[in-house]
């Protein structure tokens, strides 16, 4: 493992993921890191709690940058299941595409996926902002409780199924909406909110080209007349 300098380089062809994560957990705020040859390894750069700048030069496996707090993590490749899972704050950017459950249960911060995201993107999201440059798979934002999901491409089946108060913006086509998810009016405050999210994600899409979706609030409390929808 290279000595700590202005930029610390760790090569996973020689060092273990355990050693990598230990070094990152012990690092002071404001330091910069580059991780070489991740080659799809799981649990890379997880549980970071300091203001670090971490660049991963290649694809990662399950739970890359999971449980992130404060750090900025950039993945130059694709990401496996659960990238940025349970993130609290900071920024995670995937310069490729992501597998299922990207941003699952995340409470805060910004997750940007430049490519596509597979099924259940933003499942049970609790305050995170997610911007996807391409398409999302089925049941994205399933049981989304808070936060915003921005889809610059198309959305698959059952978008926003059993949604609570998360907001969804989609530029392309929606194959179908899930239970209790409806299209809503795009007012001035939503256009302004979306513009900020797109700017934060370094995208130049026009907010006026998106549609907004949210909860119809019919399933908040059990009603026998709605039993088939649960």
């Amino acid at each position: 493992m290279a000595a700590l300098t202005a930029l610390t380089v760790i090569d996973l062809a020689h060092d273990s993921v355990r050693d990598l994560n230990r070094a990152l957990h012990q690092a002071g705020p404001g330091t910069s890191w580059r991780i070489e040859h991740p080659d799809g390894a799981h649990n890379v750069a997880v549980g970071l709690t300091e203001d670090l700048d971490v660049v991963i030069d290649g694809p990662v496996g399950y739970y890359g940058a999971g449980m992130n707090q404060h750090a900025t993590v950039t993945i130059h490749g694709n990401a496996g299941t659960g990238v940025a899972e349970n993130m609290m704050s900071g920024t995670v950017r995937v310069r490729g595409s992501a597998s299922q459950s990207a941003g699952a249960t995340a409470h805060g911060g910004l997750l940007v996926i430049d490519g596509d995201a597979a099924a259940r993107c933003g499942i049970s999201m609790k305050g995170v902002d997610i911007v996807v440059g391409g398409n999302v798979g089925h049941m994205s934002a399933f049981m989304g409780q808070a936060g915003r999901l921005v889809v610059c491409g198309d959305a698959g089946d059952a978008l926003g199924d059993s949604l609570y108060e998360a907001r969804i913006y989609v530029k392309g086509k929606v194959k179908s909406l899930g239970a209790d998810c409806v299209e809503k009016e795009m007012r001035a405050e939503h256009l302004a909110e979306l513009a900020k999210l797109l700017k934060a994600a370094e995208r130049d899409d026009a907010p006026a080209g998106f549609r907004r979706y949210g909860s119809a609030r019919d399933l908040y409390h059990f009603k026998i007349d709605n039993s088939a929808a649960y």
Side-chain angles (χ1 to χ4, degrees):
M1 186 179 299
L4 181 63
T5 60
L7 173 66
T8 302
V9 179
I10 295 181
D11 190 342
L12 290 182
H14 305 291
D15 298 303
S16 71
V17 172
R18 182 185 294 272
D19 288 340
L20 162 67
N21 287 331
R22 181 184 295 114
L24 291 172
H25 294 167
Q26 295 172 349
T31 54
S32 297
W33 299 74
R34 187 171 77 243
I35 302 167
E36 297 180 342
H37 302 111
D39 296 341
H42 305 316
N43 305 312
V44 174
V46 298
L48 306 186
T49 59
E50 296 288 353
D51 181 16
L52 310 178
D53 182 21
V54 180
V55 176
I56 304 172
D57 285 335
V60 297
Y62 297 164
Y63 304 116
M67 301 180 291
N68 188 58
Q69 295 183 56
H70 305 300
T72 297
V73 181
T74 304
I75 300 167
H76 287 281
N78 298 327
T81 298
V83 64
E85 181 265 347
N86 206 36
M87 180 166 71
M88 296 294 177
S89 60
T91 300
V92 176
R93 178 182 287 272
V94 180
R95 292 291 186 183
S97 294
S99 188
Q100 62 184 347
S101 303
T105 73
H107 289 248
L110 173 66
L111 169 61
V112 181
I113 300 167
D114 288 348
D116 299 324
R120 301 177 184 85
C121 177
I123 181 174
S124 195
M125 54 194 290
K126 296 176 171 66
V128 67
D129 291 325
I130 303 175
V131 180
V132 180
N135 306 323
V136 296
H138 64 270
M139 296 192 78
S140 288
F142 172 55
M143 293 185 67
Q145 295 159 45
R148 287 81 59 94
L149 170 62
V150 179
V151 181
C152 299
D154 299 331
D157 276 321
L159 176 69
D161 189 83
S162 303
L163 194 68
Y164 288 87
E165 290 301 319
R167 291 178 178 172
I168 305 173
Y169 298 98
V170 181
K171 185 176 181 181
K173 298 178 181 179
V174 175
K175 191 169 183 180
S176 69
L177 296 176
D180 214 35
C181 184
V182 295
E183 184 172 356
K184 295 195 170 186
E185 180 185 4
M186 191 76 151
R187 299 191 297 269
E189 64 263 33
H190 304 122
L191 291 169
E193 173 180 79
L194 179 56
K196 290 181 180 179
L197 290 168
L198 291 167
K199 182 177 180 180
E202 301 174 4
R203 296 195 59 87
D204 58 4
D205 306 78
F210 288 76
R211 292 180 292 172
R212 180 171 75 96
Y213 302 88
S215 175
R217 303 189 176 102
D218 287 335
L219 302 183
Y220 272 28
H221 305 286
F222 181 80
K223 300 176 183 177
I224 191 64
D225 292 341
N226 296 332
S227 60
Y230 287 96

